């Protein structure tokens, strides 16, 4: 079954819509555009498909009520606009879906909710229960409390992670661009890329940014598609105006097909939903053991520690060149690590006690971020 067929027959779909597809030229919420999108989603929902809607637009929706003419640059005003706009946005969806007798539930997530395992499970349970109850979850990044350091930064990546979190059968990314092209779509001769089955299909493709209202350009959409297809979820990228055709499996937009092996939930989460809270610098032997032989990381192979992290936090593992080669969940707090560096677990156990006879990071808690061949 092709990726498009899987989306047309999906029992559970995640649909992401960008702010530029929901707003007027003045930046206010466009009621007609919202209703047009809801018309498409409601028909599919009534046909039995569970829908999770990941919607941007909170900051844009707050511009009008706050009397702002453009998206604010500073984080505090963005957070204020999101706080006001999120209510406006959800009220709009509530009344629009109500025309079909459907209810919506607001779900605001932060990157931290995806990083910490207990939050991650809570988000998963909450979304699953909403779907069981027949609710359409409307998901957005919690811009009111997100910080520059810890944020998704765009809802494309959030949508891909939500598709994985909810075990969705497909992801549809709707924006103001109707497909991925091999050049600037505004110039003559640019060809639509209809299917992407692997990185080779994107070789030589320029991924510029577009749009004034939102934050996500084509780069973030392709990255989101890579995350989702890596989790076995097919993706269609197209314009919001073509939502009905995209959901019906028509030859519209760009379809990204899932690859072969799919990582478990935790490893995908560790690779894409987390930011390292610190860094462990490895010697060449440790890099070879962790990356090439997929072994646990032992204190003996670590030469330096950076950052302030607690046991259970994600940390980046660096090669001698400084390149980040892997990420893992630390078994120790940052403050404990300097005393362990370069020492064998047997030596640590004999001097510090048996609880220190364990890895810095267990191999099951390590994800390799890129193949490294220059660590010798």
């Amino acid at each position: 079954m092709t990726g498009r067929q899987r989306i047309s027959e999906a029992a559970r779909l995640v649909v992401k819509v960008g702010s530029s597809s929901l707003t007027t030229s003045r930046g206010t919420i466009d009621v007609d555009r919202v209703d047009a999108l809801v018309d498409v989603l409601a028909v599919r929902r009534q046909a039995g498909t569970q829908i999770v809607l990941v919607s941007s637009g909170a900051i844009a929706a707050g511009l009008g009520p706050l009397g702002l003419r453009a998206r604010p640059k500073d984080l505090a005003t963005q957070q204020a606009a999101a706080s006001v706009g999120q209510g406006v946005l959800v009220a709009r969806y509530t009344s629009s879906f109500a025309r079909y007798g459907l209810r919506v539930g607001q779900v605001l997530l932060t990157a931290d909710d995806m990083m910490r395992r207990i939050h991650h499970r809570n988000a998963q349970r909450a979304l699953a229960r909403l779907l069981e109850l027949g609710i359409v979850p409307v998901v957005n990044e919690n811009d009111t409390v997100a910080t520059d350091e810890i944020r998704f930064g765009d809802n494309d990546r959030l949508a891909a992670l939500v598709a994985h979190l909810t075990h969705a059968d497909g992801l549809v990314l709707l924006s103001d661009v109707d497909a991925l092209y091999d050049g600037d779509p505004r110039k003559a001769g640019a060809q639509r890329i209809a299917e992407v089955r692997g990185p080779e299909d994107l070789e030589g493709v320029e991924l510029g940014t577009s749009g004034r209202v939102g934050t996500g350009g084509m780069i973030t959409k392709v990255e989101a598609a890579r995350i989702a297809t890596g989790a076995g979820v097919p993706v269609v990228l197209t314009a919001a105006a073509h939502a009905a055709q995209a959901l019906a499996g028509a030859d519209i937009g760009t379809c990204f097909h899932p690859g072969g092996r799919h990582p478990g939930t935790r490893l995908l989460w560790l690779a894409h939903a987390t930011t390292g809270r610190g860094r462990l610098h490895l010697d060449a032997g440790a890099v070879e053991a962790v990356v090439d032989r997929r072994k646990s990381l032992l204190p003996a192979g670590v030469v330096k520690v950076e950052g302030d992290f607690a046991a259970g936090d994600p940390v980046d593992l660096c090669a001698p060149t400084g390149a980040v080669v892997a990420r893992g969940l630390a078994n120790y707090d940052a403050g404990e690590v300097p005393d362990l560096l370069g020492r064998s677990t047997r030596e640590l156990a004999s001097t510090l006690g048996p609880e220190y006879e364990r890895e810095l990071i267990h191999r099951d808690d390590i994800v390799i971020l890129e193949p490294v061949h220059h660590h010798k």
Side-chain angles (χ1 to χ4, degrees):
M1 191 186 295
T2 68
R4 294 182 192 279
Q5 282 176 302
R6 284 177 60 184
I7 283 173
S8 71
E9 297 175 18
R12 181 176 291 176
L13 272 178
V14 174
V15 177
K16 182 264 173 180
V17 62
S19 46
S20 56
S21 304
L22 298 172
T23 48
T24 65
S25 56
R26 296 192 313 280
T28 56
I29 288 292
D30 188 325
V31 174
D32 292 338
R33 285 179 164 204
V34 172
D35 285 350
L37 173 65
V38 170
D39 289 342
V40 173
L41 300 182
V43 167
R44 184 64 184 264
R45 178 70 195 83
Q46 289 176 326
T49 297
Q50 293 178 332
I51 301 281
V52 178
L53 176 60
V54 177
S55 177
S56 302
I59 293 175
L63 301 184
L66 290 176
L68 300 170
R69 288 174 168 266
R71 185 186 176 93
K73 296 278 195 291
D74 66 295
L75 184 63
T77 312
Q78 284 177 17
Q79 290 173 325
S83 174
V84 173
Q86 189 62 38
V88 174
L89 186 65
V90 172
R92 190 62 250 153
Y93 279 127
T94 299
S95 61
S96 195
F97 274 103
R99 297 175 299 142
Y100 294 90
L102 294 170
R103 289 190 174 87
V104 305
Q106 175 178 258
V107 180
L108 295 176
L109 295 173
T110 65
D112 223 33
D113 293 326
M114 294 288 188
M115 280 186 207
R116 300 196 174 272
R117 270 183 286 180
I118 190 158
H119 292 210
H120 185 264
R121 283 199 300 272
N122 287 342
Q124 198 166 32
R125 273 199 299 266
L127 284 162
R129 189 69 183 119
L130 284 167
L131 292 169
E132 279 173 17
L133 292 167
I135 305 294
V136 178
V138 177
V139 181
N140 195 0
E141 176 162 17
N142 194 344
D143 286 307
T144 304
V145 298
T147 64
D148 278 333
E149 293 77 34
I150 307 172
R151 66 185 301 130
F152 295 105
D154 64 83
N155 272 346
D156 298 306
R157 190 159 70 116
L158 174 59
L161 291 162
V162 167
H164 184 63
L165 196 69
T166 58
H167 305 293
D169 303 305
L171 169 63
V172 178
L173 298 173
L174 301 175
S175 72
D176 52 358
V177 182
D178 69 341
L180 187 60
Y181 285 82
D182 61 3
D184 187 337
R186 293 167 296 191
K187 294 179 181 168
Q191 299 285 311
R192 172 174 74 107
I193 300 172
E195 315 291 330
V196 176
R197 290 189 165 81
E200 63 282 356
D201 292 335
L202 295 177
E203 276 177 24
V205 175
E206 294 271 320
L207 298 174
T209 58
S210 67
R212 288 176 297 106
V213 181
T215 54
M218 267 303 156
I219 295 167
T220 70
K221 289 167 182 35
V222 171
E223 168 69 6
R226 194 169 67 82
I227 295 169
T229 54
V233 180
V235 180
V236 168
L237 163 66
T238 193
H242 300 153
Q245 294 116 296
L247 267 64
D251 181 15
I252 197 89
T254 301
C255 183
F256 297 81
H257 298 266
R261 288 179 64 249
H262 306 138
T265 301
R266 286 181 55 252
L267 291 187
L268 193 98
W269 158 74
L270 196 55
H272 296 291
T274 63
T275 309
R277 296 290 173 88
R279 291 187 162 209
L280 297 176
H281 292 264
L282 280 54
D283 62 27
V287 173
E288 194 260 337
V290 168
V291 175
D292 297 341
R293 294 191 284 126
R294 304 297 164 98
K295 299 286 189 183
S296 296
L297 176 63
L298 301 175
V302 179
V303 295
K304 188 171 77 168
V305 58
E306 291 178 307
D308 181 21
F309 53 87
D313 278 350
V315 293
D316 290 338
L317 309 186
C318 302
T321 60
V324 177
V325 296
R327 186 171 294 138
L329 300 176
N331 278 332
Y332 295 90
D333 296 344
E336 294 180 281
V337 176
D339 290 342
L340 314 179
L341 299 188
R343 300 167 72 182
S344 73
T345 49
R346 184 173 296 160
E347 179 195 345
L348 290 168
S350 65
T351 57
L352 298 176
E355 69 271 22
Y356 285 88
E357 193 170 9
R358 67 183 194 274
E359 338 51 20
L360 266 181
I361 305 178
H362 191 274
R363 64 186 179 194
D364 291 347
D365 290 333
I366 295 175
V367 63
I368 309 304
L369 295 181
E370 57 182 89
V372 175
H373 306 291
H374 52 262
H375 48 258
K376 292 286 188 283

